[in-house]
């Protein structure tokens, strides 16, 4: 690796307190022997992994004193066996032992039994739920090394470029100590660097970069680039460039970090290579601006109906009549009436389904930047399709770009099912257990923590209005600071983080804010959230990728306290936030503080949501906590809705691909 990240930036490399392995966390030998034979499929996987751990420890002890040179020689001997068609399963104990020795010598930490078990489950193509702070990067290194021995390449995917680079630089020396090479993919790399990264034994990169390279390679083959080299180039080494224009090798084995983010949150997101776009000329903007003005004045249930379940907006007869007689644009860029109706519906989506500082923000360059709802991070390279992006640009009065045509596309769902072998890990996979099985044909196994969990999860507290809720959050924060406990406050939107920040400032509470507008120092801010006297306000991004270590004396005071100011549309994201407290046996606590104005209650239906809002605004002396079950009910309804949408997409894509294949077309390019 050429560049090193300063220790404070990545949460891993600071000399951590020595955490010893806790024996017995995987159960006893007799129980595991029985469960490995007759248990449920996901429990069998963990028991089989637990039975292999003593074998790994045996080889680890056997080879503990070999020199670094001998370690590489032993690793190369294993590589020879793997390429000589030995079964990788039989090489697992010794390969994992060598990886463990390399980790100890390079990073000065010894993998826990639970990490080796998690790695074993992933080697066999399973998904693991491994709690926050249990060391997913280390857990993935052993199966990545073992599967790289066959020489076909291993892809380890993360959710952003920063994490890909950080993980590769931190764990890379472990692979190098075993004689293996490591590559990192980053956005805007040139083709030669990409080829080098893919030729490495283990390649780190974002899920999107692997997918986009797959699409680019398909486009090259479709464009006939594979035939540009003359037949004699293979012998002369010149005369027209490489025979194979692709940068990516075959899709052999992938380990997906934050698998729930990729397989669930991003499942419906298509990876699209679009043709270049341009600013719309004045006459080309007419329809977008006309539709925006009309949508602005339309009234729900009179001019249009909004079906939240299907995420659909439909004009009523009155709405269509209004469109028809509202002086529709004319000229060469005017559209037929059915297209004009669609343009107005997209304008309505921009106003009623997309909220500024939640779904998108307006950047300093006056551009619409989509915010990833799962992570809270800005996604500057993404655009909504089918004219939706232009509708939002018209709504916010920024420069309107022409919609781009698509050259190639694939969804995350379809792309990851192309790998011969697929594994993944996350702190919050179990809520989507059956979806993982149905869509990806993978069992999800929960791996126990190395130390017993000491986190206290307090019951939800409900308030009538958002203002009352934020006042209570400020008060609770002050109480925690008074007893020497740092506080991490999670918000669902950028707007909410700003409002809460203003209230904390008014109460003279020093704090840091982390959201899509202020994310440059993300890792530093999150890593420092456990220090004495710290208050951190963050959107969802606080739940991903960076460890929070407690400062001196904080554990004795009760550890980090996490406050969630709104429940999300998926329970997993709530659990990610809760998981920031009480890592690795540390003390900690968490609580959600909710209000009857929270957006989640939309899941109960528009009428019920308005009724609850009115009730909250009326105030009075009520037991507001009695409304807590409604939030769980709304969350479950929304999760069920999104699940159905993902399955519908999977079935639609499957039918589309089958149809294109029957026509002899490329399912990803045509």
């Amino acid at each position: 690796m050429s560049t090193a990240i300063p220790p404070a930036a990545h949460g891993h490399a600071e000399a951590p307190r020595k955490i010893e392995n806790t024996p017995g966390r995987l159960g006893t030998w007799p129980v595991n022997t029985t469960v490995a034979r007759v248990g449920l499929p996901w429990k069998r996987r963990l028991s089989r992994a637990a039975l292999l751990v003593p074998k790994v420890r045996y080889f680890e002890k056997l080879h503990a004193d070999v020199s670094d040179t001998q370690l590489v020689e032993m690793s190369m001997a294993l590589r020879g066996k793997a390429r000589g068609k030995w079964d990788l399963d039989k090489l697992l104990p010794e390969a994992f032992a060598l990886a463990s020795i390399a980790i100890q010598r390079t990073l000065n930490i010894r993998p826990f039994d639970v990490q080796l078990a998690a790695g074993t489950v992933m080697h066999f193509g399973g998904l693991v739920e491994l709690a926050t702070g249990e060391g997913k990067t280390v857990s993935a290194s052993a199966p990545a090394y073992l599967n790289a021995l066959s020489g076909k390449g291993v892809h380890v995917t993360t959710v952003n470029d920063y994490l890909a680079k950080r993980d590769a630089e931190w764990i890379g020396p472990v692979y190098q100590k075993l004689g293996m090479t490591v590559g990192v993919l980053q956005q805007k790399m040139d083709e030669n660097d990409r080829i080098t990264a893919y030729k490495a034994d283990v390649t780190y990169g974002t899920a999107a970069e692997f997918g986009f390279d797959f699409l680019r390679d398909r486009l090259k083959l479709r464009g006939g680039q594979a035939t540009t080299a003359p037949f004699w180039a293979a012998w002369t080494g010149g005369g027209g460039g490489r025979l194979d224009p692709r940068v990516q090798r075959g899709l052999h084995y992938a380990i997906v970090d934050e698998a729930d983010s990729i397989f669930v949150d991003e499942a419906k997101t298509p990876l699209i290579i679009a043709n270049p776009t341009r600013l719309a000329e004045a006459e080309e903007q007419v329809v977008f601006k006309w539709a925006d003005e009309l949508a602005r004045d339309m009234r729900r249930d009179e001019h249009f109906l909004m079906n939240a379940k299907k995420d659909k907006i439909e004009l009523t007869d009155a709405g269509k009549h209004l469109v028809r007689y509202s002086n529709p644009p004319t000229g060469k860029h005017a559209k037929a009436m059915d297209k004009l109706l669609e343009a107005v519906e997209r304008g309505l989506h921009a106003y009623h389904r997309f909220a500024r500082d939640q779904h998108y923000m307006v950047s300093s360059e006056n551009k619409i930047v989509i915010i990833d709802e799962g992570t809270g991070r800005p996604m500057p390279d993404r655009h909504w399709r089918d004219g939706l992006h232009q509708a939002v640009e018209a709504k916010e009065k920024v420069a309107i770009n022409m919609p781009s045509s698509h050259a190639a596309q694939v969804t995350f769902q379809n792309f990851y099912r192309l790998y011969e072998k697929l594994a993944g890990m996350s702190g919050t996979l179990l809520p989507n257990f059956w979806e993982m099985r149905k869509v990806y044909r993978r069992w999800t196994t929960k791996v126990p923590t190395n130390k017993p969990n000491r986190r206290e999860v307090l019951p939800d507290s409900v308030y009538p209005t958002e203002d009352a809720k934020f006042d209570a959050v400020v008060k609770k924060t002050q109480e925690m600071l008074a007893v020497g406990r740092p506080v991490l406050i999670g918000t669902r939107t950028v707007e909410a983080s700003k409002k809460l920040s203003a209230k904390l400032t008014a109460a003279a509470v020093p704090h840091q804010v982390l959201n899509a507008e202020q994310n440059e120092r993300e890792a530093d801010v999150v890593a420092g959230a456990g220090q004495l006297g710290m208050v951190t306000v963050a959107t969802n991004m606080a739940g991903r990728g960076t460890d929070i270590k407690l400062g001196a004396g904080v554990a004795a005071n009760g550890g980090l306290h996490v406050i969630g100011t709104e429940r999300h549309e998926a329970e997993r994201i709530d659990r990610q936030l809760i998981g920031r407290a009480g890592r690795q046996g540390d003390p900690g606590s968490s609580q959600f503080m909710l209000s009857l104005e929270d957006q989640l209650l939309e899941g109960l239906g528009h009428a019920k949501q308005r009724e609850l809002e009115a009730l909250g605004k009326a105030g009075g002396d009520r037991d507001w906590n009695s409304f807590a079950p409604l939030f769980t009910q709304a969350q479950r309804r929304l999760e069920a809705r999104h699940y159905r949408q993902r399955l519908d997409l999977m079935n639609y894509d499957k039918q589309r691909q089958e149809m294109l294949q029957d026509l002899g077309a490329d399912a990803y390019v045509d």
Side-chain angles (χ1 to χ4, degrees):
M1 300 295 105
S2 54
T3 2
I5 295 176
H10 49 58
H12 279 301
E14 277 181 41
R17 62 191 169 97
K18 197 76 173 175
I19 302 172
E20 297 297 331
N21 179 60
T22 307
R25 294 294 289 160
L26 294 167
T28 62
W29 184 85
V31 170
N32 284 323
T33 305
T34 305
V35 174
R37 291 177 181 169
V38 299
L40 294 166
W42 55 95
K43 293 191 180 292
R44 285 205 301 268
R45 285 174 177 268
L46 183 61
S47 291
R48 286 172 184 166
L51 292 172
L52 285 170
V53 170
K55 295 180 181 178
V56 174
R57 294 301 189 197
Y58 165 77
F59 281 109
E60 182 186 56
K61 189 175 180 182
L62 186 67
H63 302 319
D65 298 326
V66 302
S67 67
D68 284 357
T69 305
Q70 288 173 306
L71 192 67
V72 173
E73 288 171 356
M74 294 168 73
S75 176
M76 293 303 100
L78 284 183
R79 185 160 75 171
K81 289 178 179 179
R83 295 183 182 187
K85 306 303 180 189
W86 276 55
D87 189 343
L88 289 182
D89 299 353
K90 292 179 180 175
L91 300 179
L92 186 148
E94 193 167 4
F96 273 43
L98 295 186
S100 180
I101 293 167
I103 289 167
Q104 289 172 63
R105 293 185 183 181
T106 309
L107 307 176
N108 197 29
I109 55 176
R110 184 175 182 240
F112 309 135
D113 289 352
V114 292
Q115 289 176 318
L116 294 174
T120 303
V121 173
M122 285 191 278
H123 162 71
F124 287 107
L127 304 175
V128 294
E129 179 173 293
L130 199 62
T132 301
E134 291 294 308
K136 289 190 278 290
T137 308
V138 169
S139 301
S141 60
Y145 163 64
L146 172 58
N147 284 272
L149 290 171
S150 61
K152 296 178 182 177
V154 170
H155 297 168
V156 184
T157 80
T158 59
V159 291
N160 62 43
D161 268 0
Y162 164 74
L163 291 177
K165 188 176 182 184
R166 181 202 73 178
D167 287 358
E169 291 182 344
W170 187 68
I171 205 80
V174 172
Y175 299 115
Q176 289 158 359
K177 196 167 266 302
L178 294 165
M180 311 295 277
T181 55
V182 186
V184 191
L185 288 177
Q186 298 279 278
Q187 287 184 40
K188 299 175 183 173
M189 280 176 80
D190 66 44
E191 190 155 300
N192 288 332
D193 289 339
R194 284 183 185 276
I195 292 166
T196 304
Y198 277 116
K199 280 183 178 176
D201 295 305
V202 181
T203 307
Y204 282 80
T206 65
E209 281 303 301
F210 287 115
F212 281 130
D213 282 335
F214 167 78
L215 290 177
R216 289 184 197 108
D217 285 349
R218 301 289 288 212
L219 282 169
K220 288 174 190 171
L221 294 178
R222 194 67 173 167
Q225 288 186 34
T227 61
T228 56
F231 73 89
W232 60 81
W235 289 274
T236 62
R242 294 183 301 125
L243 283 171
D244 189 343
R246 293 174 294 183
V247 300
Q248 209 172 58
R249 294 197 276 173
L251 301 177
H252 169 53
Y253 178 57
I255 298 176
V256 181
D257 191 9
E258 305 297 358
D260 58 330
S261 176
I262 304 302
F263 292 161
V264 181
D265 298 333
E266 299 281 1
K268 294 186 292 181
T269 304
L271 296 168
I272 296 172
I273 292 181
N275 293 316
T277 187
R278 60 176 173 79
L279 284 173
E281 295 173 7
E283 59 269 22
E284 292 172 322
Q285 299 179 23
V286 170
V287 171
F288 300 120
K289 290 183 174 179
W290 166 82
D292 175 69
E293 291 297 327
L294 204 55
R296 195 185 294 262
D297 298 328
M298 284 186 159
R299 292 183 292 276
R300 183 172 179 169
D301 296 331
E302 180 185 344
H303 297 117
F304 67 94
L305 301 173
M306 193 160 82
N307 187 331
K309 279 187 181 179
K310 295 182 179 176
D311 199 20
K312 187 178 178 183
I313 287 177
E314 196 170 351
L315 291 171
T316 62
D317 288 341
K320 290 176 183 175
H321 185 273
L322 184 64
V323 172
R324 195 168 278 113
Y325 296 100
S326 63
N327 193 23
T330 56
K332 69 173 185 175
H333 292 289
K335 299 179 184 294
M337 184 52 67
D338 61 330
K339 297 296 181 186
L340 290 176
L341 294 173
E342 287 177 11
V344 173
E345 286 176 356
R346 285 192 284 269
L348 290 167
H349 266 282
Y351 278 98
H352 298 279
R353 299 302 298 162
F354 293 143
R356 182 169 176 169
D357 288 340
Q358 179 182 350
H359 300 101
Y360 68 91
M361 66 183 191
V362 180
S363 72
S364 55
E365 299 167 348
N366 231 21
K367 291 181 179 178
I368 300 298
V369 177
I370 295 175
I371 297 173
D372 187 316
E373 283 197 80
T375 64
R377 293 188 175 99
M379 312 296 285
D381 296 324
R382 286 198 185 171
H383 292 81
W384 288 300
R385 295 188 294 169
D386 304 324
L388 280 172
H389 206 86
Q390 288 69 33
V392 175
E393 287 172 332
K395 169 190 171 184
E396 295 295 343
K397 310 293 185 195
V398 301
I400 297 176
N401 293 277
M402 288 301 290
S404 58
S405 57
H406 303 152
Q409 71 176 58
V410 65
T411 60
F412 280 112
Q413 257 184 4
N414 277 339
F415 174 64
Y416 278 99
R417 291 192 296 168
L418 294 173
Y419 279 88
E420 293 172 33
K421 191 173 174 182
L422 180 64
M425 53 187 178
S426 175
T428 49
L429 267 171
L430 278 183
N432 296 86
F433 179 93
W434 288 112
E435 182 175 353
M436 295 299 102
R437 183 63 191 159
K438 188 178 183 73
V439 176
Y440 299 97
R441 311 303 300 166
R442 294 289 177 273
W443 291 114
T444 302
T445 301
K446 183 176 175 62
V447 176
T449 55
N450 179 51
K451 290 179 177 290
N453 192 337
R454 294 168 60 195
R455 184 192 311 120
E456 182 185 7
V457 180
L458 303 168
D460 291 1
S461 189
V462 182
Y463 299 88
T465 63
E466 185 176 73
D467 267 344
K469 172 180 72 176
F470 283 164
D471 288 340
V473 170
V474 172
K475 186 181 175 187
K476 175 63 77 172
T477 301
Q478 290 170 322
E479 289 172 8
M480 290 294 159
L481 290 175
V483 294
R485 296 182 64 185
V487 181
L488 173 65
I489 306 170
T491 65
R492 186 171 169 182
T493 67
V494 175
E495 183 186 14
S497 69
K498 290 177 181 175
K499 282 185 184 176
L500 186 55
S501 175
K503 283 193 177 278
L504 288 167
T505 302
V509 176
H511 62 283
Q512 295 201 71
V513 179
L514 178 64
N515 58 36
E517 292 181 351
Q518 302 168 2
N519 69 330
E520 297 83 5
R521 294 179 55 248
E522 176 184 337
D524 291 341
V525 173
V526 175
Q531 302 303 307
L532 194 66
M534 285 300 300
V535 175
T536 310
V537 179
T539 49
N540 301 345
M541 58 177 68
R544 300 282 182 189
T546 305
D547 287 340
I548 296 177
K549 294 182 175 64
L550 299 184
V554 170
N557 297 336
L560 177 70
H561 181 64
V562 171
I563 300 174
T565 59
E566 199 170 341
R567 285 200 174 270
H568 296 79
E569 291 189 359
E571 183 203 348
R572 291 174 301 96
I573 302 173
D574 293 341
R575 288 181 60 203
Q576 272 283 354
L577 182 62
I578 290 170
R580 306 314 294 169
R583 58 176 294 280
Q584 272 297 343
D586 285 336
S589 57
S590 67
Q591 184 178 27
F592 275 89
M593 303 175 84
L594 315 171
S595 86
L596 295 185
E597 291 183 332
D598 287 359
Q599 189 185 339
L600 180 74
L601 294 174
E602 169 190 83
L604 300 173
H606 185 57
K608 184 68 174 175
Q609 182 188 23
R610 282 191 300 188
E611 179 191 321
L612 290 168
E613 270 186 27
L615 199 64
K617 283 174 182 171
D621 188 18
R622 290 174 177 268
D623 177 15
W624 299 108
N625 288 337
S626 64
F627 291 96
L630 291 179
F631 291 86
T632 305
Q633 185 184 347
Q635 190 177 60
R636 285 178 180 162
R637 285 190 186 179
L638 288 168
E639 284 183 319
R641 181 196 304 171
H642 294 318
Y643 174 57
R644 285 193 301 271
Q645 288 172 352
R646 289 191 294 270
L647 284 189
D648 288 345
L649 175 70
M650 182 184 74
N651 293 328
Y652 166 78
D653 273 356
K654 187 178 177 184
Q655 290 169 3
R656 175 180 166 275
Q657 286 189 345
E658 287 173 354
M659 183 177 71
L660 287 170
Q661 284 166 0
D662 289 343
L663 295 171
D666 189 312
Y668 306 103
V669 175
D670 292 304

